[in-house]
Amino acid sequence: MAGETIEREDTRRIGSLLDRAPVDAETLIGIGTILPVILLYLIISIIPVGFAVWASLHEIPLLNPNWTYIGLSNYAEVLRIDRFWASLWRGVVFMVGSTLLQLVVGLWIALTLNQIKVAQKLMTAVVFSAYLIPTIVVALGGLFMFDTFVGVLHQIGSETLGLWGENTFALGTHQWAMPLVVLIGSWKFSIFITIFALAQLRAIPMRFYEAAKICGANRWEMFRDITLPRIQGVILVAVLLRSIFMFNKFDLIWILTNGGPGYATTTLPVLAYREAFEAANYGLANAIAVVMFVFLALGGVAYFKVFNPSDEVET
Amino acid sequence: MGTKTESDRSGTFGLDFRTEDKLYRVALGMSAFIFFVFIVFPIYWVFQSSLKTRNAIQTGGITWFPSSEGFTLSNYEVLFNSDVGLYLLNSVIVTLGTVLSVIVISLVAGYGLARIQFNHKANFARFLLFGYMFSPIVLGLPLYLIWQDLGLLNTRIGLIIALTAISMPFSVWLMWKYIQTIPRAMEESAWVAGASRWRTFRDVVVPQTQPAMIAAALFAFALAWSDFTFARILLPQNSATTFAPGILRLINQSYSFAWSDMMAASMLMTIPPLLFAYFLQSYLLKGFQIRSL
């Protein structure tokens, strides 16, 4: 067809132009393919982080367009206020507690799911849906089940187990708020570990176990020598990702407790949000965000140094 | 336990094989039962509560089933509540938009990384992984003012852009790895037959990446469907908001919005994930078979 020939000639002309360009066509096409990703990252990550750094050097009342340059004093204030250090500590408790619980439960579920023969597909589907159910639904379900008047878990906790009083809203107490937030979050996020581990478990060839059986290995030996080495690497990756995600977790805590009672469940992301939209101190909030980013970036660099995750993928 | 002959080699804890096998089966069954209850109980409880009348929830005490006079389907009329309906519609639009753009962008980038040689490829991949370190709250706070300046605040497209970017590290790496497993020879033979690079990409590569596309779509879906933080910060107005922040606002504002309505709305948000998990679980697992991220 006529159109096609013209098109081809055009391409050829562009091609010959490209041949004379300082970079070769291959590089241009290559960069072209990743350009959308680079642009997205520029808009969503690089510019905001730069903007946050810039904003953190100012005093910014949220509803007032006037920025006052105040240098590093937001940072000085961040490092001075008790709220920050207490939130950091709570964040670490939340992160470590959640990750450990999720690791144990997630692995347990994966190992069991991989072995059961009955209704495996249905079971897997139900388990996976826990991960796919939106956090808001998990949190609303949690609020409902711990409600003082109509909540089934509230009743179990107060009457059956005697953990708290009959009229006590457990999520509103200093003692129970944090453990319950960890527990409710782990219901959903344990499955993240399960998915990672199960994917690896399914990839282990059956003949490994058959060979081990012939050699007379028992179940524990098979687990120790075949299963564990195969899932070790991915568990490390999953645990690291989970720690990062839990450190950053905002939505679950905010919906369940608003960071309260008082500051009992205020981790760093919640503190940043409260400073911005409750205390209307946008500059200080950004300073907190930048400090968080520095923590995570250091964590990220350490992660690459220790695990070098791109090793296996490089061509 | 006395001396052992060669034939009864000891199993775990020195038990003989038959006892060990029996114990193992019992333990496995019990463990499956326990975690199944642990996962299903909350879903079931939300579901059965969504079928109770307000009155049955408030005064009927805690029961395992809706009683015959406490049973109702009317809570699901919450779907036609103008606010909730709008939130759900917004969520659907944002999720679809995110899923589509994630598939297209990651497919192209994955192809580029896998098949085209250019400098700094590895650096780019590292840089992508760095995206995991950006907390939604760290990005959301500045984005609020940036989106305001760009006129993207309170628009669905603004949220789609943000969520697409957040899904990128995983989906690009997934595509990259997946395309590497497709034999190069197929493309080469198409080239020899005179197909352009674009034709080859479209007709040879794309159809074969279907599993990776489904896995990437599933992750984008999970992220967008459940997003709260970005939606809360970037959609401050009621008219554009998605389900998660919208329903929370509704709860905080109105006294007429009861638990039963809320549970019905929650079930509506839960059904799509249940369906996805049942029909697409093998793709989900395939997506996670990546050894490293």
Side-chain angles (χ1 to χ4, degrees), chain A residues 63-174:
Chain A
L63 298 175
N64 185 337
N66 293 326
W67 292 24
T68 325
Y69 182 81
I70 52 166
L72 289 173
S73 56
N74 271 329
Y75 289 94
E77 192 178 343
V78 164
L79 298 180
R80 197 160 39 80
I81 52 177
D82 292 344
R83 290 199 298 283
F84 173 80
W85 293 108
S87 303
L88 177 63
W89 170 242
R90 278 187 297 264
V92 170
V93 168
F94 175 72
M95 175 181 88
V96 173
S98 304
T99 307
L100 281 181
L101 185 61
Q102 288 164 22
L103 176 67
V104 172
V105 175
L107 267 185
W108 168 51
I109 294 181
L111 289 169
T112 311
L113 262 188
N114 192 43
Q115 291 291 320
I116 54 171
K117 305 269 179 338
V118 189
Q120 198 185 32
K121 187 162 188 204
L122 182 76
M123 290 270 245
T124 313
V126 171
V127 169
F128 282 10
S129 57
Y131 180 65
L132 295 177
I133 289 173
T135 309
I136 178 87
V137 173
V138 176
L140 288 181
L143 285 174
F144 174 62
M145 293 169 82
F146 281 102
D147 186 83
T148 340
F149 298 107
V150 300
V152 57
L153 292 182
H154 165 77
Q155 201 168 9
I156 293 174
S158 69
E159 283 179 20
T160 317
L161 302 174
L163 296 174
W164 51 77
E166 201 184 318
N167 295 318
T168 317
F169 179 51
L171 276 162
T173 62
H174 281 270

Side-chain angles (χ1 to χ4, degrees), chain A residues 148-210:
Chain A
T148 340
F149 298 107
V150 300
V152 57
L153 292 182
H154 165 77
Q155 201 168 9
I156 293 174
S158 69
E159 283 179 20
T160 317
L161 302 174
L163 296 174
W164 51 77
E166 201 184 318
N167 295 318
T168 317
F169 179 51
L171 276 162
T173 62
H174 281 270
Q175 194 187 354
W176 287 104
M178 186 60 102
L180 288 181
V181 171
V182 168
L183 205 67
I184 294 170
S186 298
W187 182 83
K188 172 174 172 151
F189 294 112
S190 294
I191 311 305
F192 181 84
I193 305 264
T194 303
I195 296 175
F196 259 83
L198 195 58
Q200 291 302 314
L201 288 172
R202 292 268 167 92
I204 303 176
M206 270 317 281
R207 63 192 154 82
F208 286 13
Y209 292 103
E210 280 152 17

Side-chain angles (χ1 to χ4, degrees), chain B residues 76 93 205 281:
Chain B
Y76 283 87
I93 293 173
V205 179
Q281 55 175 268

Side-chain angles (χ1 to χ4, degrees), chain B residues 1-235:
Chain B
M1 297 219 88
T3 51
K4 287 191 192 93
T5 59
E6 266 298 293
S7 57
D8 60 358
R9 286 165 301 206
S10 66
T12 317
F13 309 125
L15 296 162
D16 68 89
F17 269 121
R18 198 163 299 164
T19 324
E20 192 215 53
D21 210 50
K22 211 179 274 172
L23 266 179
Y24 173 76
R25 263 167 222 300
V26 171
L28 187 68
M30 269 172 52
S31 137
F33 177 76
I34 294 170
F35 84 67
F36 199 63
V37 168
F38 164 79
I39 302 272
V40 164
F41 176 74
I43 301 177
Y44 171 73
W45 204 263
V46 167
F47 174 65
Q48 68 111 355
S49 303
S50 75
L51 297 174
K52 285 178 176 173
T53 59
R54 279 182 195 200
N55 207 21
I57 288 187
Q58 297 296 342
T59 58
I62 290 159
T63 58
W64 273 91
F65 306 102
S67 62
S68 53
E69 68 268 26
F71 177 85
T72 178
L73 283 173
S74 64
N75 293 322
Y76 283 87
E77 280 163 18
V78 76
L79 182 60
F80 305 109
N81 170 314
S82 59
D83 284 330
V84 177
L86 181 70
Y87 300 154
L88 279 169
L89 180 71
N90 284 335
S91 271
V92 170
I93 293 173
V94 166
T95 305
L96 280 180
T98 307
V99 167
L100 285 179
S101 36
V102 163
I103 291 180
V104 171
I105 295 175
S106 65
L107 198 55
V108 172
Y111 175 78
L113 287 172
R115 286 294 193 256
I116 302 172
Q117 295 306 325
F118 55 95
N119 293 334
H120 302 299
K121 241 165 69 165
N123 286 336
F124 173 72
R126 287 210 179 86
F127 166 69
L128 261 189
L129 281 185
F130 217 60
Y132 280 124
M133 312 302 154
F134 300 123
S135 153
I137 212 82
V138 172
L139 304 179
L141 290 177
L143 273 182
Y144 175 81
L145 286 190
I146 297 174
W147 259 211
Q148 199 170 38
D149 280 350
L150 294 177
L152 286 171
L153 209 60
N154 284 316
T155 63
R156 290 182 284 240
I157 197 85
L159 186 58
I160 291 175
I161 293 174
L163 293 175
T164 305
I166 295 297
S167 319
M168 272 308 140
F170 183 83
S171 40
V172 171
W173 275 63
L174 181 68
M175 286 295 177
W176 180 15
K177 277 217 80 174
Y178 198 86
I179 292 174
Q180 280 176 18
T181 65
I182 302 172
R184 238 172 232 268
M186 304 180 85
E187 287 156 72
E188 277 158 8
S189 65
W191 282 345
V192 171
S196 67
R197 177 161 238 151
W198 162 245
R199 277 281 311 257
T200 324
F201 172 69
R202 195 189 63 190
D203 295 346
V204 180
V205 179
V206 172
Q208 294 189 66
T209 54
Q210 199 202 9
M213 285 200 287
I214 294 177
L218 207 57
F219 288 109
F221 166 83
L223 197 104
W225 192 244
S226 120
D227 170 69
F228 174 83
T229 312
F230 277 120
R232 163 126 195 150
I233 296 175
L234 300 181
L235 305 172

Side-chain angles (χ1 to χ4, degrees), chain B residues 243-254:
Chain B
F243 182 84
I247 194 105
L248 193 66
R249 193 170 302 155
L250 209 57
I251 292 164
N252 291 339
Q253 279 167 1
S254 79

